Amino acid sequence: GHLFQVEYAQEAVKKGSTAVGVKGNGVVVLAVEKKSVPKLQEERTVRKICLLDDHVVMAFAGLTADARILVNRARVECQSHKLTVEDPVTLEYITRFIASLKQKYTQSNGRRPFGASCLIAGFDPDSTPHLYVTDPSGTYTEWLANATGRSAKTVREFLEKQYSTDSVATLDLCVKLAVRALLEVVQSGAKNVEVAIMEDKKSMRILDIESLEKIVSEIEKEKEEEAEKKKPKK
Amino acid sequence: RDIVVRFRKNEPERSNVPNMTDITFGVVGKDYVLMASDTTIARSIFKMKNNQNKIRTLDNHILMAWNGPVADSINFSDYIERNLELYRFRNHSSLSVHAGAYYIRNELATAIRSRSPYQVNILLGGVDKNGPALYFMDYLGSIMKVNTGIQGYAQHMTYSLMDKQWHEDMSLEEGIALIKDCIAEMKKRFLISFDDTTFQIVDKDGVRVLDNP
């Protein structure tokens, strides 16, 4: 059978700007497409990467307003959990919480499902990294690397080809893979990408524009070199 | 209410006045707030524990010393700590010391007018862009910004000492000496003995414990 409202919500996600997550060696990276803002708009009011707790970060694709509700509820739950059991949440717990919340809205009357798909990344208190993806239907799955939003399929296929333990062995390689995957579907340029880096026991870092530009130019160079190799030699 | 959940069962009846035997001092210096408290927890006639830290760190830049029964104090401190962190995640920046103090006061004032008041007196110290600040709060929800703060029975014995020795812009050494004098006075004249004290300081670099003041 079909639950049309859930499918419509998934369609809304497919229209949203792309978000990519890659789990590497001792690091999890989230990269999101930064839609170009109108000239008069303040750029920093569009926030697609949200910190849920010191060790959990979330990016989403889809309806921003819906995601805002989820982020708020998740933030309260992170603190409530710490209050009652004196332990920070595990990634699985908070993902399950968000997914259960989404599921409730697919089954009550008078409500519509959340039109947002979330990438939840971070490190558990025992230092294991995790990357989870939730879906408007309320399912959640764990991934080594995934994408949601516009052209997610293309990005995922790219990641399936390129992802290996070697290609994410260091932080820099992991960041490069995430950015490279995103640039498959996003207009090339450091100003169209925002990257968040999560390391164990460290606070989340948003990559500054200079480092990002360096990475993008490295990627461009690598792409050119690969294109050269593929050209038939006379 | 969209705040952090806390778990409260039916309260047993008890008197509203928190016990006064905890000793806590707070002093505003040049660019720091120094706080000290005893570390003893009593249970009827016994000293149950003598290394209890009664000065909580909130959000890495505020010190909150609690006085009163351990149950309410810990419950209240946990609740405040979690809500200040929630504020930080929601608003991408921490609450200022002044705002934090008034938030805590508001919680105490609401609680005293409810069926389940908290029995806890607070000394709150922090440093932000307005300089060092120390707030005295009690379980009824009163708040006073002070230069020298004392809680409990210690007030009867050391306020005059603080008045005599405190002056504006004290250096760290002077602040430590002042509190040490107060502690010596308590050891001499207070009926209830205590062994160790903990000294904690907050300045523009944040919070730290003074190991050998």
Side-chain angles (χ1 to χ4, degrees), chain A residues 94-137:
Chain A
I94 197 67
T95 307
R96 204 164 359 114
F97 174 81
I98 293 173
S100 310
L101 185 59
K102 284 181 171 178
Q103 191 280 336
K104 277 200 215 28
Y105 279 64
T106 67
Q107 215 172 9
S108 324
N109 62 346
R111 304 193 204 185
R112 60 162 179 81
F114 288 96
S117 195
C118 306
L119 284 169
I120 299 152
F123 283 80
D124 275 351
D126 66 3
S127 301
T128 49
H130 293 280
L131 173 67
Y132 283 93
V133 179
T134 63
D135 162 272
S137 63

Side-chain angles (χ1 to χ4, degrees), chain A residues 79 86, chain B residues 56-59 64 76-86 103:
Chain A
Q79 299 305 319
E86 280 280 312
Chain B
R56 275 281 191 126
T57 303
L58 302 177
D59 228 9
M64 180 172 92
F76 185 72
S77 305
D78 281 348
Y79 173 67
I80 295 295
E81 200 181 326
R82 288 296 129 244
N83 271 298
L84 289 188
E85 274 219 43
L86 182 63
Y103 167 71

